[in-house]
Structure formats: structure tokens, C-alpha cells
Amino acid sequence: MSLKTGAPGPRRSGLARLGPLPWIAPAVILILLVVLWPVYEMVHTSFLRISTSGFVRGSAGFDKYTKLFGEPDFYSVLGWTVVWTVAVVALTMVLSLALAQLFNQQFPGRRLTRWALIAPWAASVLMTSIGFKWMLDRTAGVLNTAMTDLGLIDAPRDWLGDPSGAKPWMILIAVFVSLPFTTYTLLAGLQTVPGEVYEAAKVDGTTGWQTYRLITLPLLRPALLVGLVINLINVFNSFPVIWGTTQGGPDSATATTTVFAFQLMNTDIGESAAMSVVNFALIVVMVLAFLKVSRWNEES
């Protein structure tokens, strides 16, 4: 005589067998349409010979990549992109960390200053860049007028006409529009640190710098990583700041890889697509390398 060890469970319906798939399917489809499909089209276009009017003239193989790497301005653009990204992200993180620390304190007018910081973020980046361009204009710019009246300069200067003078201003503008998001990201991280931790540190006799270095910064690590990664991607891909001030000129002296790809589109769509593929690959490698080095998924 055999004994049954257990009764069979209730049968799952066809929808239940799919588990969470029906719920995440819309998001997966959206990712495929919005992210993966454009990437496929970008890579596919880079291997085509396309006229400036948009007609496909056949396959180009790797000719567009060969032509791209042979461009006289390619490596100088690549070098400036690295300098641009490192300078803007580093300045943004340092200044945002200081501002977040300031806004985390109690002082008169704190709410007003917090709202004021949102202004560069709320306004269009392109509009802000154009505003700076007018401010730096050689003939009608308020900066030249003020500095001439104060006797700081003898004659108006073309601040954006020379690459050596334009690049620092472009970095300053990019930092200006990047500060609000990064500051509020770090401020949110600071406000999650329990006050009891600081009280315990004070009882242990730690100095202010020791408390900041040994307690605040380690607990702020997740917010710092978020700010760094998003800023790396945004600044590396930045287009409005450069286009709104110099359009990458003269020639391509102030162009980053994103702006350079747009400039190439006027003469060769396939080469422009090849530059976009290279740009996309650089972003992926840069972010993966940063996450590997920072060990983002490990506990402090």
C-alpha cells in the first residue's frame, strides 16, 4: 500500500506562469524602441554611403571610420573633450559638495538661497549659454562695458573669438548649469546621515575634519557616485553649452566629440554616424571603468 506524500498544488493560470514579465514588458519595449533601436540605426548608418540629401548610395564598409580617424581635427577634439569633461565634472563636484554642506546648515534665508540655486537648472541650457554669449559680446557685452568703465581693461575683448579665452568661459558656463542637480543630489545624501552619528563622534572627541573625512564622506558615497556618473555622461555629451557659445569654432577648435559629430553631418552623414558610434563606445567604456574602479556595488 502506497501513501501519497503530498497533494498536487493548484494549477497556475497562463498569465501567472509568465511571472513579472507582463508588468515589465512595457518598460522593456520602451527601452528597445528608445535606446537600442537608435543605437542600431546609428551603427548601421556608419557603414553606409549617404549623400548630404539623405539618399543611400550603397555600403561603405569601414571607409567612414578610416576617414574619421584621418581627420586633422579628430585627435585634438578628442583631447579637448577629455579636458572638458574632467575639468567640468571635477569643479562641479567640489563646488556642489561645498554648497550642499552649506545648505545643510541652518542660517537666515536658507530657503530663498535654495530656491535661487534652482534657476540655472530650471532655465534652458541653450538659453543660458546664449545669455552668456551676449554678456561676453565684444561690442554690446555687459562684461566688456563694465571692465572698460572700471579701467580693468584698455579695450573691449573678444572673449569667445579666441579658443584659449573661450574654453575657460565654456567650462565656467557648464559648471554653472551643472551645479543645481549635483548640489541637490549631495544635499539629499547629507540629510540621510543620522544626527546621532555626529553626536557620538563629538563624544569620542573627533575634530571637525576627522568627522567629515571618516563619517560624512563615507556615508555620502552613494550620492557622490550618482552625481559623478550622471555628470560624466551629461558633460561628455554636452551640446547646448558649446553650440550656444562658439558652435565649436573657430573651425573645430572648441568642439567636443558630440559637436564634432554634428559638424561632420553637414558634409558626410556616414562619417558623422561613425563619430557618434565612437562617442557612444567611449561613454560606455568610461562609465564601466569608473564603476569598476569605484566598486559602486560594494558596501563601504
Side-chain angles (χ1 to χ4, degrees):
M1 178 175 153
S2 60
L3 297 174
K4 293 183 179 180
T5 56
R11 289 188 177 182
R12 301 175 66 188
S13 63
L15 188 62
R17 289 174 185 172
L18 296 176
L21 186 59
W23 306 103
I24 65 174
V28 173
I29 294 172
L30 183 64
I31 292 173
L32 291 174
L33 292 176
V34 177
V35 178
L36 297 184
W37 178 254
V39 170
Y40 165 77
E41 285 293 331
M42 179 178 66
V43 175
H44 179 64
T45 303
S46 68
F47 292 100
L48 297 177
R49 186 175 290 104
I50 305 175
S51 67
T52 53
S53 56
F55 292 99
V56 179
R57 303 299 185 187
S59 175
F62 288 92
D63 292 348
K64 300 303 177 182
Y65 290 91
T66 304
K67 182 180 178 183
L68 173 66
F69 296 141
E71 288 284 350
D73 296 327
F74 174 75
Y75 293 101
S76 61
V77 167
L78 199 61
W80 163 236
T81 303
V82 173
V83 173
W84 156 268
T85 304
V86 172
V88 173
V89 172
L91 286 172
T92 299
M93 294 305 299
V94 171
L95 293 176
S96 296
L97 191 59
L99 286 172
Q101 195 69 42
L102 173 64
F103 290 154
N104 199 40
Q105 309 298 319
Q106 293 289 342
F107 60 89
R110 185 179 69 162
R111 179 175 296 181
L112 180 62
T113 54
R114 281 184 174 184
W115 280 104
L117 185 65
I118 298 178
W121 194 20
S124 164
V125 177
L126 182 60
M127 183 182 72
T128 303
S129 303
I130 294 174
F132 270 94
K133 181 180 180 179
W134 280 109
M135 185 185 76
L136 300 170
D137 186 75
R138 182 171 188 172
T139 55
V142 65
L143 181 65
N144 274 321
T145 302
M147 293 184 72
T148 304
D149 291 344
L150 292 172
L152 299 176
I153 55 176
D154 298 330
R157 296 182 182 178
D158 189 6
W159 300 100
L160 299 177
D162 178 41
S164 60
K167 287 178 178 179
W169 281 108
M170 291 162 57
I171 292 174
L172 177 64
I173 297 169
V175 171
F176 178 73
V177 299
S178 302
L179 279 177
F181 168 79
T182 314
T183 299
Y184 275 99
T185 300
L186 299 181
L187 179 60
L190 284 173
Q191 292 181 340
T192 61
V193 179
E196 295 82 1
V197 177
Y198 292 117
E199 293 176 4
K202 186 180 293 185
V203 171
D204 290 340
T206 58
T207 64
W209 169 243
Q210 288 175 330
T211 301
Y212 190 75
R213 182 172 59 88
L214 299 176
I215 296 176
T216 304
L217 287 180
L219 293 177
L220 198 58
R221 184 170 178 264
L224 284 169
L225 288 177
V226 170
L228 273 171
V229 171
I230 293 180
N231 272 296
L232 282 172
I233 296 172
N234 286 343
V235 174
F236 192 88
N237 280 321
S238 181
F239 181 85
V241 171
I242 300 170
W243 194 257
T245 51
T246 64
Q247 296 188 351
D251 297 325
S252 300
T254 58
T256 58
T257 51
T258 306
V259 176
F260 190 55
F262 188 80
Q263 291 176 334
L264 291 173
M265 189 174 61
N266 296 323
T267 56
D268 193 329
I269 295 175
E271 187 181 6
S272 175
M275 182 69 253
S276 299
V277 172
V278 172
N279 202 46
F280 179 77
L282 288 173
I283 293 171
V284 173
V285 171
M286 177 180 63
V287 172
L288 290 178
F290 173 79
L291 293 178
K292 178 67 175 178
V293 171
S294 62
R295 296 175 296 177
W296 65 279
N297 60 341
E298 295 182 8
E299 293 291 336
S300 301

